[in-house]
């Protein structure tokens, strides 16, 4: 009997040894053309799509992620590939590597996530960016910083050009993100001037697509999931605020083009296709053919009233403009979430909120009520 068990185990070991892991086919690059590229936040929504592209192009990619909002499953298809390395690392502590390029994407991006731990958000964008700039300086790598349309705050100039200085409240629930992204831009400028570091700054506008987390809390994932489940679609405020939505593959094209360009000042990357949030809710509802109703909730504090990128610079310098239409992009995203719902239960959104910080809308809109001195 023991003999049988040993034989069964031996067979199992052999089967495991024989199992060939298959990877998507990557391009072969010669030593001269192949770069070593670090992607911070590479297991996140945008990061993982960028990693896919860089891997397919034949580069060596190192992902550093602390998995606060990133997920291993976003990049698991590369684990074991000889060009790929995954480091579980929080960039608030320094990282020592040899690389040619750094795409510095690590940061929570969804408002509920970045407000969940505002101190950490400030740390990752300030100390984390200093650490990555320090790494770039040591190894003479080029660094692309993922900035945001939020540096324009609640903009009084529309559409937003890169020369607009913005209208940011330095003392509010969004300031941990907006101001830390702004100081990170200032750090990039200082390192470029003082240390001669080659930097690129992408001001990324609202981006959506597959691999957004079900509990992301941003408008696209919320509305799609609500519409798919015929739950009320939660509109914060009167729904007349506007956003312009870019599909993630367009952003990836833009990020790579910017990194490899000669342009070293901030550049907007976004799709100028602008909608009111109310229009957007109806659009998603119609595409899905959902019976969901629209439910109006409290407006968020300091929620920008309008947002649309002016992308003249990107068109001129990168010959880049978004290609994916909203219908195409939404269809792919809806398909993704439809499949996700088959596997996972869409539990409470904005899961990361401590209960006592929740308002009726299910999102923290201000400081806690019991915080008397404020
Ligand atoms: O999606 C992004 O890429 C951007 O998302 C956020 O900016 P925000 O525009 O506030 O993103 P959302 O949370 O998706 O909100 C968009 C609008 O929809 C509204 N909204 C959101 C969620 C919801 O369920 N209902 C709803 O009406 C919000 O109030 C806001 O007016 C981040 O702060 C940016 O850094 C990031 O670049």
């Amino acid at each position: 009997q023991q003999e049988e068990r040993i034989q069964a185990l031996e067979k199992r070991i052999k089967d495991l040894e024989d199992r060939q892991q298959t990877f998507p086919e990557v391009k072969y690059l010669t030593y001269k053309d192949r770069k070593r590229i670090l992607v911070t936040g590479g297991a996140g929504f945008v990061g993982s799509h960028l990693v896919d592209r860089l891997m397919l192009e034949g580069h060596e990619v190192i992902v550093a992620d602390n998995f606060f909002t990133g997920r291993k499953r976003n990049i698991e298809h590369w684990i074991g590939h000889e060009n790929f390395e995954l480091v579980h690392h929080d960039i608030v502590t320094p990282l020592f590597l040899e690389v040619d390029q750094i795409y510095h994407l690590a940061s929570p991006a969804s408002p509920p996530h970045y407000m969940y731990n505002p101190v950490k958000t400030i740390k990752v964008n300030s100390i984390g960016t200093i650490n990555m700039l320090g790494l770039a300086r040591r190894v003479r790598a080029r660094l692309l910083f993922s900035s945001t349309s939020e540096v324009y705050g609640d903009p009084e100039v529309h559409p937003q050009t890169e020369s607009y200085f913005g209208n940011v409240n330095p003392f509010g629930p969004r300031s941990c993100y907006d101001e830390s992204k702004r100081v990170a831009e200032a750090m990039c400028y200082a390192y470029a001037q003082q240390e001669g570091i080659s930097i690129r700054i992408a001001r990324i506008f609202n981006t959506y697509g597959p691999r957004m987390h079900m509990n992301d809390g941003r408008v696209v994932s919320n509305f799609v999931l609500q519409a798919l489940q015929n739950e009320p679609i939660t509109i914060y405020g009167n729904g007349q605020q506007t956003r312009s939505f870019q599909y993630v593959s367009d952003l990836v094209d833009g990020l790579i083009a910017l990194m490899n360009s000669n342009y070293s000042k901030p550049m907007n990357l976004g799709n100028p296709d602008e909608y009111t949030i109310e229009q957007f809710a109806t659009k998603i509802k119609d595409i899905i053919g959902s019976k969901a109703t629209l439910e109006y909730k409290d407006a968020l504090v300091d929620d920008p009233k309008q947002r649309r990128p002016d992308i003249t610079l990107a068109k001129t310098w990168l010959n880049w403009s978004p290609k994916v239409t909203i219908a195409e992009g939404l269809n792919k995203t809806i398909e993704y979430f439809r499949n996700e719902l088959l596997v996972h239960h869409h539990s409470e959104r904005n899961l990361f909120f401590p209960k006592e910080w929740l308002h009726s809308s299910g999102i923290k809109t201000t400081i806690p009520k019991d915080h008397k001195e404020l």
Side-chain angles (χ1 to χ4, degrees):
Q1 208 186 357
Q2 254 178 1
E3 194 61 22
E4 268 175 34
R5 282 194 63 191
I6 290 169
Q7 275 174 10
L9 283 171
E10 278 173 352
K11 184 174 178 311
R12 173 127 178 80
I13 290 168
K14 189 165 182 332
D15 286 350
L16 284 171
E17 279 173 355
D18 289 348
R19 205 166 64 176
Q20 289 281 327
Q21 194 179 353
T22 54
F23 296 104
E25 199 171 327
V26 305
K27 208 164 126 186
Y28 174 76
L29 288 181
T30 62
Y31 180 72
K32 200 170 115 289
D33 295 325
R34 193 168 58 227
K35 292 195 167 62
R36 280 175 65 84
I37 304 176
L38 169 65
V39 182
T40 74
F45 158 55
V46 172
S48 64
H49 286 282
L50 174 67
V51 167
D52 284 351
R53 192 74 66 79
L54 297 172
M55 284 294 296
L56 293 174
E57 281 180 6
H59 296 292
E60 287 177 36
V61 178
I62 304 172
V63 164
D65 208 298
N66 71 350
F67 301 108
F68 172 54
T69 55
R71 288 175 298 173
K72 259 189 205 139
R73 61 183 280 216
N74 289 342
I75 33 110
E76 69 185 354
H77 46 284
W78 294 116
I79 293 174
H81 193 287
E82 58 181 336
N83 288 355
F84 181 80
E85 215 174 316
L86 174 62
V87 188
H88 188 156
H89 180 82
D90 188 326
I91 52 152
V92 167
T93 53
L95 184 61
F96 299 93
L97 294 166
E98 293 287 331
V99 287
D100 306 304
Q101 293 185 338
I102 303 168
Y103 286 89
H104 175 28
L105 308 186
S107 167
S110 160
H113 293 175
Y114 68 62
M115 291 181 207
Y116 167 68
N117 188 340
V119 172
K120 183 76 187 185
T121 301
I122 291 172
K123 280 186 181 172
V124 73
N125 283 314
S126 55
I127 303 171
T129 302
I130 281 275
N131 284 336
M132 290 306 106
L133 285 163
L135 172 65
R137 184 185 56 188
R138 277 194 299 278
V139 300
R140 307 312 293 177
R142 178 176 290 178
L143 180 142
L144 181 147
F145 174 63
S146 61
S147 186
T148 167
S149 57
E150 297 254 336
V151 299
Y152 302 121
D154 188 5
E156 288 152 332
V157 167
H158 194 72
Q160 292 78 55
T161 52
E162 291 84 348
S163 56
Y164 176 48
F165 290 170
N167 176 34
V168 172
N169 177 2
F171 190 75
R174 294 180 97 95
S175 59
C176 58
Y177 186 71
D178 301 9
E179 294 289 24
S180 64
K181 287 286 187 185
R182 285 167 69 99
V183 81
E185 285 198 13
M187 288 169 177
C188 290
Y189 180 85
Y191 269 74
Q193 297 303 308
Q194 191 179 319
E195 309 287 347
I197 298 304
S198 180
I199 53 121
R200 302 286 179 265
I201 297 175
R203 290 188 179 153
I204 302 172
F205 283 64
N206 296 59
T207 305
Y208 70 99
R211 297 191 193 154
M212 289 185 97
H213 200 290
M214 294 233 277
N215 295 312
D216 182 282
R218 273 179 287 188
V219 72
V220 178
S221 46
N222 274 10
F223 284 6
V224 168
L225 285 163
Q226 288 160 342
L228 281 173
Q229 295 175 109
N230 294 314
E231 284 173 1
I233 298 183
T234 51
I235 295 187
Y236 303 151
N238 62 10
Q240 295 312 300
Q241 69 273 37
T242 70
R243 292 294 186 274
S244 311
F245 297 97
Q246 113 180 289
Y247 190 67
V248 65
S249 62
D250 283 329
L251 173 62
V252 168
D253 289 342
L255 290 173
I256 294 176
L258 177 60
M259 173 65 105
N260 297 301
S261 75
N262 295 323
Y263 195 80
S264 58
K265 293 185 203 158
M267 184 181 283
N268 290 340
L269 290 179
N271 191 326
D273 204 9
E274 184 182 4
Y275 299 89
T276 69
I277 292 304
E278 194 178 54
Q279 279 172 339
F280 197 60
T282 312
K283 194 166 194 65
I284 289 177
K285 205 176 111 138
D286 290 349
I287 295 178
I288 292 176
S290 166
K291 294 190 197 64
T293 52
L294 304 187
E295 192 174 68
Y296 293 82
K297 302 270 195 181
D298 295 346
L300 303 185
V301 174
D302 294 336
D303 196 8
K305 285 184 274 307
Q306 50 181 359
R307 188 184 286 163
R308 171 153 63 102
D310 179 315
I311 56 166
T312 313
L313 267 183
K315 279 183 178 161
T316 314
W317 282 84
L318 312 180
N319 195 20
W320 174 90
S321 53
K323 295 190 191 78
V324 181
T325 63
I326 194 80
E328 275 174 85
L330 280 179
N331 275 317
K332 286 184 186 163
T333 310
I334 290 165
E335 193 53 33
Y336 171 78
F337 281 117
R338 221 190 279 279
N339 287 329
E340 285 290 283
L341 283 173
L342 297 177
V343 193
H344 304 278
H345 203 69
H346 177 217
S347 57
E348 193 150 328
R349 257 177 309 283
N350 309 329
L351 194 70
F352 302 103
F353 271 118
K355 279 266 183 300
E356 65 274 21
W357 282 36
L358 289 174
H359 267 223
S360 56
S361 57
I363 188 168
K364 186 183 70 163
T365 58
T366 180
I367 44 179
K369 280 188 185 122
D370 57 358
H371 212 101
K372 293 282 188 313
E373 77 240 66
L374 289 169

